[in-house]
């Protein structure tokens, strides 16, 4: 699933392709993409809109139009966007929508698992929608260790589960949480509200460093993720724990362990991420 670095990489690729362009014609082939709304109606509403901005909040892409309306795109598991000159895109059985732009180029949306969503919001609807669902942006300067501590203060859930909750911090998913916890030397099952000040500082620094590394590597390419120009990311070459069960920890040589937590694979080093509760 694309996480903050992957979605931000997509945003950076789309911005120059979309800003200033008009949606001439839109086809939505899969009703799941816009449900409960009618795909033909949504496509008709989008046609004629001119793009003013391409933003991101957490894992949401925000295509802002000059009218103040917004198309909110969530890629979920396997969504991806591709921008190309008209006529140059190959046939794709997993294509769910196509936007024809006014400069003879197209943006195609592909989604194998079909969990992705497009939601057209009217002016004024975006902020309340996001405020309910998404916590602070971890790379903003306003996100501090103290702020992270506040977000975790009332959470008795395992630390990893709390960090996966988008209302705690925006944009983290299974990969970057495991990587950040390794970097911070924190056990994924520690109670989220049990970190001391030093541990919070380490976690805060680790979250930012891990995401920044992901951005630098243009995300990780595991399954269907690709940037809008078709390029792959290389963050997967930087993974210290994710998917590395049995391989030696880079810091201490202990084999990486895998457990399941909330149905998700979770990788950590049992030595340098020891559970400090002593059990
Ligand atoms: Zn280790």
């Amino acid at each position: 699933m694309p996480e903050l670095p992957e979605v931000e990489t997509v945003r950076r690729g789309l911005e120059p392709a979309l800003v200033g362009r008009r949606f001439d014609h839109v086809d939505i082939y899969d009703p799941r993409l816009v449900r409960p709304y009618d795909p033909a109606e949504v496509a008709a509403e989008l046609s004629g809109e001119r793009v003013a901005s391409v933003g991101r909040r957490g894992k949401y892409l925000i295509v802002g139009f000059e009218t103040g309306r917004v198309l909110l795109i969530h890629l979920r598991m396997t969504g991806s966007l591709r921008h190309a000159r008209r006529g140059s895109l190959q046939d794709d059985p997993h294509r769910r929508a196509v936007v024809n732009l006014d400069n003879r180029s197209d943006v195609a949306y592909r989604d194998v698992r079909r969990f992705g969503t497009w939601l057209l919001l009217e002016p004024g609807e975006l902020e309340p929608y996001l405020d309910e669902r998404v916590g602070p942006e971890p790379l903003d300067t306003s996100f501090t260790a103290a702020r992270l501590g506040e977000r975790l203060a009332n959470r008795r859930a395992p630390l990893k589960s709390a960090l996966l909750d988008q209302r705690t911090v925006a944009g983290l998913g299974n990969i970057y949480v495991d990587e950040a916890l390794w970097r911070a030397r924190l056990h994924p099952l520690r109670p989220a509200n049990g970190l001391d000040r030093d541990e919070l500082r380490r976690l805060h620094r680790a979250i930012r460093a891990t995401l920044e590394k992901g951005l630098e590597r243009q995300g990780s390419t595991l399954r269907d993720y690709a940037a809008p120009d078709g390029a792959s990311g290389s963050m997967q070459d930087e993974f210290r724990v994710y998917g590395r069960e049995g391989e030696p920890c880079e810091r201490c040589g202990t084999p990486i362990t895998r457990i399941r937590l909330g149905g998700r694979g979770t990788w950590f080093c049992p030595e340098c991420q020891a559970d400090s509760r002593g059990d």
Side-chain angles (χ1 to χ4, degrees), residues 5-83:
E6 289 77 27
V7 179
E8 176 61 19
T9 301
V10 171
R11 190 200 69 76
R12 290 175 183 179
L14 278 182
E15 188 173 44
L18 284 185
V19 172
R21 298 273 63 83
R22 194 181 63 230
F23 282 21
D24 264 355
H25 181 79
V26 179
D27 281 305
I28 297 171
Y29 309 117
D30 183 359
R32 273 180 66 160
L33 190 57
V34 294
R35 93 183 156 189
Y37 302 103
D38 178 66
E41 265 173 42
V42 176
E45 291 287 335
L46 285 168
S47 300
E49 292 283 356
R50 190 179 289 278
V51 179
S53 61
V54 181
R56 180 193 56 77
R57 200 55 183 87
K59 302 178 196 172
Y60 288 99
L61 282 167
I62 305 167
V63 180
F65 299 112
E66 288 179 350
T67 54
R69 291 165 126 193
V70 156
L71 175 62
L72 195 60
I73 299 177
H74 201 303
L75 304 171
R76 299 289 166 194
M77 303 281 289
T78 54
S80 67
L81 290 150
R82 190 73 188 272
H83 176 250

Side-chain angles (χ1 to χ4, degrees), residues 169-214:
V169 185
L172 295 175
N174 211 35
I175 292 176
Y176 291 90
V177 167
D178 280 6
E179 293 295 314
L181 289 174
W182 179 83
R183 209 183 260 256
R185 305 179 195 224
L186 292 169
H187 195 287
L189 298 181
R190 290 275 304 273
N193 63 359
L195 305 191
D196 65 27
R197 191 192 285 255
D198 177 57
E199 289 170 329
L200 278 172
R201 263 202 291 262
R202 263 163 35 209
L203 178 58
H204 173 258
R205 208 180 307 133
I207 289 170
R208 286 164 73 115
T210 305
L211 293 173
E212 271 159 12
K213 175 63 81 177

Side-chain angles (χ1 to χ4, degrees), residues 249 252 269 272:
C249 168
C252 73
C269 171
C272 48

Side-chain angles (χ1 to χ4, degrees), residues 182 248-254 256 269-273:
W182 179 83
C249 168
E250 191 177 283
R251 232 169 6 218
C252 73
T254 306
I256 300 299
C269 171
E271 178 64 30
C272 48
Q273 291 172 262

Side-chain angles (χ1 to χ4, degrees), residues 158-177:
L159 184 53
K160 177 171 178 181
S161 308
L163 292 171
L164 286 175
D165 183 338
Q166 298 302 294
R167 292 166 299 183
T168 308
V169 185
L172 295 175
N174 211 35
I175 292 176
Y176 291 90
V177 167

